[in-house]
Amino acid sequence: MREMEKTDTALVFNIAGYNAHHYRGLRYAADPGEFEFKVVVEGDSWANILYPWSEFFGYNEAFPNFIERDPRFYYNNVGWPGDTLENVVERSLSPRETEKDKGLYVPIRSGIFDFLIFSGGGNDFLGGGELKKFLKRYRAGVVDPWKCLDEEKVDAVYKKVRSLYLRVIKFVNDSDAQTQIFLHGYDHARPQSGGRWLGLPFSAMGYTPEAKICSDICMVLVDRMYDMLAEIASSNDSVHVVDVRGLCRNNWHDELHPNRTAAKAIADRFIHAMVGSHHMRLARAAPTATSDAAFIPTLIDLGSERETIAQAHAKAAEYMKGSGYTFPTKSCAATLSAFLQMSGIQVQTERGAEALATKLKKRGWARIEVGAQKAGDVGVTISKLPPKGADHIYLVVQVHNSDRMTIADNQAPDPHERFASGRGKTRTEYFLRAGGAHLFDPEPELEVVDYSPFPFEDEDTNDLTRSEV
């Protein structure tokens, strides 16, 4: 068994004898060309917690470990727990031959990676007890977190962090312009009494770590990190900021690290961001007539997750303001408009189902008969009541047979079942499909299932006489 020890400054620990290069050589023997996407990860313990060795200390996976499990991704992780940004830059950009295989230098120069996940800076303003360097002594009655911080020293820390980020980004951009860079600024940390990274520095300066002012201090420091990253991303199309604030909430492993539930949620958000970015880039390069089709995989992903459905519902609620109706009432078109826009399809918001269906037809979406629908299609229902035209519109996210589907719309907070034949709802009149969608993804003909003989609602059987057995 390898000797393991926690360090005073690292976010987690060191493992005596752990050879990262040897481990990667065993794990990544597969041919990268066999995978749809290729991602390299660099950074601190949020990026790599040396799982499964870290289980000896009770640590669960870091969020990239969940991305590694996605069969679409070829995965290489060169991160190391406890790294400051200076460590990362020194390792990845060092001209010394001995350093080139220890960081990003070789992976990025290979030119094969679609995405870089970069996680750094936390050890510069929260980890390793860095907080004590710019935290003022506690004063009773002070509620403004910035009054508890030496802002000049805080500014100096973030100026240094920004400079190091820009060095890494420039290296990636210069080495491989196709690699998209994904950053995050951590989550609002949770100080705890006795906590080695936050609790002890707070206590040493007279604070009670569990007090609201301590959480507020951590919050403004993390928010400052996001502001800095957003400013960097605003001037560089290859840089994307993935906001993971709120995903840890009550799912912290300790003061600074997500537990398994939060790590999985963070991984899902990164996957959505990376895949969405990939489809958007394809769409920009595609001919206009088929550009919407390139966004369909992202559209399906958005309608498949409760979290992204909630985001679409929030947008739809805003769209419905001034209409005389409050979400979710009569909000199907507003909801689908939100889904389309979130996927990258630049369609103007519509509140009416008929208006949105007409708009999609003008964009080249083809009419598909009921029974031939596929995931990514848009279902349109038409009632017999006036006014004439479509009365409901929804997104298909999964097709089970010619009738039964899983869909996303304004009628539920998660993906839910709907039948094309109706079965208690208005039957679907037709479907719409983005021009060019599914052309290179043939699927078997759907099984035709007739549900009409089966009861739709529960039936009262109390009037039946008891049989003699």
Side-chain angles (χ1 to χ4, degrees):
M1 182 183 299
R2 291 180 172 83
E3 179 185 351
M4 303 176 69
E5 62 176 1
K6 290 186 179 180
T7 67
D8 291 332
T9 56
L11 274 179
V12 188
F13 45 79
N14 284 329
I15 302 178
Y18 179 89
N19 186 322
H21 174 64
H22 175 67
Y23 174 65
R24 290 199 304 274
L26 294 175
R27 166 61 182 83
Y28 305 109
D31 179 5
E34 297 176 359
F35 297 82
E36 184 176 359
F37 306 114
K38 289 163 277 292
V39 59
V40 60
V41 181
E42 170 64 295
D44 50 28
S45 58
W46 267 55
N48 190 352
I49 207 162
L50 306 184
Y51 187 85
W53 286 271
S54 56
E55 281 192 305
F56 286 105
F57 284 141
Y59 282 87
N60 56 263
E61 303 94 317
F63 78 86
N65 292 119
F66 290 94
I67 298 174
E68 178 183 13
R69 294 172 186 172
D70 190 313
R72 295 174 293 178
F73 286 87
Y74 174 80
Y75 172 91
N76 188 3
N77 195 325
V78 297
W80 192 263
D83 272 350
T84 64
L85 274 174
E86 282 186 318
N87 298 146
V88 173
V89 172
E90 175 66 18
R91 187 172 62 231
S92 292
L93 309 186
S94 172
R96 298 194 298 272
E97 288 296 326
T98 56
E99 295 291 325
K100 286 183 178 180
D101 194 40
K102 296 182 180 179
L104 286 175
Y105 190 92
V106 170
I108 294 299
R109 287 295 182 102
S110 73
I112 71 169
F113 287 96
D114 303 296
F115 312 118
L116 162 65
I117 294 176
F118 189 73
S119 173
N123 289 332
D124 297 77
F125 65 89
L126 286 180
E130 292 299 303
L131 182 62
K132 63 189 176 186
K133 294 182 179 180
F134 43 78
L135 181 65
K136 294 180 180 179
R137 184 159 290 278
Y138 175 75
R139 290 174 294 160
V142 176
V143 296
D144 182 352
W146 284 111
K147 298 294 183 183
C148 303
L149 298 166
D150 185 326
E151 291 195 53
E152 185 174 337
K153 291 182 179 179
V154 172
D155 289 343
V157 169
Y158 283 96
K159 181 178 180 181
K160 172 186 171 184
V161 169
R162 182 181 184 276
S163 174
L164 292 170
Y165 260 91
L166 290 175
R167 286 187 62 190
V168 171
I169 291 168
K170 184 177 187 302
F171 164 71
V172 176
N173 289 163
D174 290 347
S175 301
D176 184 2
Q178 299 304 309
T179 301
Q180 299 294 294
I181 304 168
F182 290 80
L183 316 173
H184 72 89
Y186 307 91
D187 201 350
H188 296 140
R190 183 183 63 178
Q192 301 174 8
S193 291
R196 57 193 306 220
W197 303 294
L198 303 177
L200 292 180
F202 273 123
S203 296
M205 298 302 285
Y207 295 81
T208 300
E210 287 79 11
K212 183 177 183 298
I213 186 63
C214 296
S215 295
D216 289 346
I217 290 169
C218 293
M219 182 179 295
V220 298
L221 290 173
V222 169
D223 289 349
R224 173 75 177 271
M225 181 73 173
Y226 276 100
D227 290 342
M228 181 202 74
L229 295 178
E231 183 269 328
I232 292 174
S234 67
S235 57
N236 191 319
D237 291 340
S238 70
V239 178
H240 313 269
V241 180
V242 181
D243 190 341
V244 302
R245 284 174 289 189
L247 293 186
C248 292
R249 203 168 281 117
N250 296 320
N251 288 304
W252 289 96
H253 173 79
D254 52 26
E255 294 182 298
L256 290 176
H257 299 94
N259 68 11
R260 181 173 282 105
T261 299
K264 175 64 165 59
I266 293 167
D268 288 343
R269 185 160 291 184
F270 266 86
I271 289 171
H272 280 301
M274 290 187 294
V275 174
S277 167
H278 175 77
H279 292 316
M280 289 183 71
R281 293 179 68 209
L282 288 179
R284 292 192 187 105
T288 304
T290 60
S291 60
D292 286 355
F295 294 101
I296 297 304
T298 301
L299 187 63
I300 295 170
D301 285 343
L302 292 171
S304 301
E305 299 290 338
R306 188 183 183 98
E307 179 185 343
T308 45
I309 290 174
Q311 294 172 16
H313 285 177
K315 290 179 178 291
E318 290 294 317
Y319 298 158
M320 292 304 291
K321 289 181 178 179
S323 68
Y325 296 96
T326 302
F327 182 88
T329 303
K330 296 194 175 186
S331 304
C332 62
T335 299
L336 183 58
S337 294
F339 277 128
L340 293 166
Q341 293 161 7
M342 290 165 63
S343 75
I345 296 175
Q346 300 300 310
V347 62
Q348 185 177 353
T349 302
E350 293 290 351
R351 293 171 177 166
E354 181 66 26
L356 184 53
T358 299
K359 182 159 290 183
L360 292 178
K361 292 172 188 175
K362 290 181 178 179
R363 292 177 66 88
W365 288 53
R367 178 171 171 138
I368 304 298
E369 295 305 313
V370 173
Q373 66 271 20
K374 299 184 185 297
D377 290 349
V378 166
V380 181
T381 76
I382 299 179
S383 73
K384 304 302 181 183
L385 301 176
K388 184 179 179 180
D391 69 334
H392 189 67
I393 193 165
Y394 60 86
L395 171 65
V396 180
V397 296
Q398 189 176 2
V399 175
H400 305 286
N401 55 48
S402 63
D403 195 11
R404 188 168 69 91
M405 306 166 289
T406 299
I407 71 154
D409 59 9
N410 63 308
Q411 297 181 353
D414 49 16
H416 58 282
E417 186 175 71
R418 187 178 181 110
F419 291 84
S421 61
R423 290 182 61 76
K425 296 181 181 291
T426 310
R427 71 177 298 276
T428 300
E429 189 73 17
Y430 60 89
F431 293 89
L432 291 173
R433 180 174 302 164
H438 311 296
L439 286 181
F440 305 103
D441 183 24
E443 297 182 34
E445 187 173 337
L446 294 176
E447 178 187 3
V448 177
V449 178
D450 182 10
Y451 289 93
S452 59
F454 298 91
F456 178 70
E457 297 182 351
D458 294 337
E459 299 170 298
D460 187 349
T461 61
N462 288 327
D463 61 334
L464 297 179
T465 58
R466 182 177 179 180
S467 62
E468 297 295 333
V469 179

